């Protein structure tokens, strides 16, 4: 391994670890990933089986697909387009939810339920955005390194491809499942608002 490869590898690994530690540290003032992850995982605290559906089964599915079909540059190119559409949609939903008017609910219990649902939906959107950005970063790296010589890596490059493919498939499946959760919550929010408006007429 040449000296420039060693320096580049060290700088990349150290920078990645430093950024991850800073973003996941407690009471991070800029963007607290820890709180977002914690609040999102608490969403299923009353139904533990949902953890298995949302996070364990997708892992098995991702590993299985990666063993059958390794993700290539064409896949990541298409994934980038899909993720751009999904992130745009999620940010548009986030803009709608931040301006949601809770004063239409006269009953305190209904208002608290609506506030909880909106908060959970916002948190799920942020969670999906984080995963989407990670997937985009992985895709950019894979596309940038395609066709390069990796003989200097001291282990089998095919193992790396399988691991990256499994992580990519897993994270993308998690995003899709959480999109279903967001859609469900949005339908509940819209139905509640329509019901209040109908009763007010």
């Amino acid at each position: 391994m040449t000296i420039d490869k060693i320096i580049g590898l060290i700088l990349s690994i150290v920078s990645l670890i430093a950024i991850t530690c800073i973003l996941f540290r407690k009471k991070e003032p800029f963007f607290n990933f820890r709180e977002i992850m914690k609040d999102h995982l608490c969403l299923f605290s009353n139904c533990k089986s949902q953890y298995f559906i949302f996070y364990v089964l997708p892992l098995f599915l991702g590993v299985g697909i990666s063993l059958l079909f390794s993700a290539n540059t064409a896949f990541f190119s298409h994934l980038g387009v899909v993720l751009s559409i999904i992130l745009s949609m999620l940010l548009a939903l986030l803009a709608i939810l931040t301006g949601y008017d809770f004063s239409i609910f006269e009953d305190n219990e209904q208002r608290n339920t609506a506030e909880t649902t909106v908060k959970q939906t916002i948190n799920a959107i942020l969670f999906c955005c984080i995963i989407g950005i990670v997937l985009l970063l992985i895709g950019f790296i894979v596309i940038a390194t395609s066709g390069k010589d990796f003989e200097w890596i001291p282990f089998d490059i095919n193992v790396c491809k399988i691991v990256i493919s499994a992580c990519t498939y897993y994270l993308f499946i998690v995003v899709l499942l959480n999109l279903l959760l967001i859609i469900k919550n949005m339908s509940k929010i819209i139905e509640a608002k329509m019901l209040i408006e109908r009763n007010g007429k």
Side-chain angles (χ1 to χ4, degrees):
M1 189 184 297
T2 59
I3 187 68
D4 59 330
K5 294 286 192 304
I6 295 174
I7 294 174
L9 193 61
I10 292 173
L11 288 175
S12 300
I13 293 174
V14 170
S15 300
L16 181 62
I17 293 173
I19 291 171
T20 304
C21 290
I22 291 171
L23 291 177
F24 278 94
R25 70 182 178 181
K26 273 189 175 183
K27 298 180 180 177
E28 166 61 32
F30 175 62
F31 196 80
N32 199 326
F33 284 9
R34 178 194 288 263
E35 289 300 317
I36 293 172
M37 299 282 287
K38 181 181 175 183
D39 290 343
H40 185 71
L41 292 175
C42 287
L43 182 64
F44 307 117
S45 58
N46 295 328
C47 187
K48 306 271 191 207
S49 62
Q50 295 299 315
Y51 289 114
F52 188 76
I53 297 171
F54 274 78
Y55 302 108
V56 179
L57 287 179
L59 178 60
F60 294 149
L61 180 58
V63 172
I65 296 174
S66 67
L67 293 174
L68 295 172
F69 312 103
S70 180
N72 53 22
T73 53
F75 170 81
F76 281 104
S77 297
H78 295 305
L79 181 64
V81 175
V82 174
L83 285 174
S84 298
I85 296 171
I86 291 174
L87 289 176
S88 299
M89 179 189 70
L90 291 177
L91 292 175
L93 287 177
L94 190 62
I96 294 171
L97 290 175
T98 51
Y100 194 80
D101 183 17
F102 295 103
S103 62
I104 62 175
F105 298 97
E106 296 180 358
D107 184 65
N108 288 332
E109 185 177 347
Q110 288 182 339
R111 188 184 300 111
N112 291 334
T113 302
E115 289 177 354
T116 301
T117 304
V118 169
K119 183 180 178 182
Q120 290 175 350
T121 308
I122 290 174
N123 199 267
I125 290 173
L126 294 175
F127 180 77
C128 287
C129 287
I130 292 171
I131 296 180
I133 292 170
V134 171
L135 285 172
L136 286 175
L137 180 59
I138 293 173
F140 291 151
I141 293 172
V142 170
I143 293 172
T145 56
S146 62
K148 300 293 190 300
D149 181 21
F150 290 101
E151 291 183 357
W152 51 273
I153 295 180
F155 43 84
D156 190 359
I157 190 64
N158 290 323
V159 175
C160 292
K161 289 181 179 179
I162 292 174
V163 171
I164 292 172
S165 297
C167 291
T168 302
Y169 290 136
Y170 170 67
L171 292 176
F172 187 59
I173 293 167
V174 169
V175 168
L176 294 180
L177 290 176
N178 278 277
L179 279 179
L180 296 177
L181 178 67
I182 292 169
I183 292 170
K184 177 189 172 184
N185 282 353
M186 286 299 297
S187 67
K188 289 168 61 178
I189 294 168
I190 293 170
E191 286 175 6
K193 188 174 182 180
M194 290 175 62
L195 182 62
I196 293 296
E197 291 176 350
R198 191 182 302 120
N199 293 336
K201 291 181 179 180

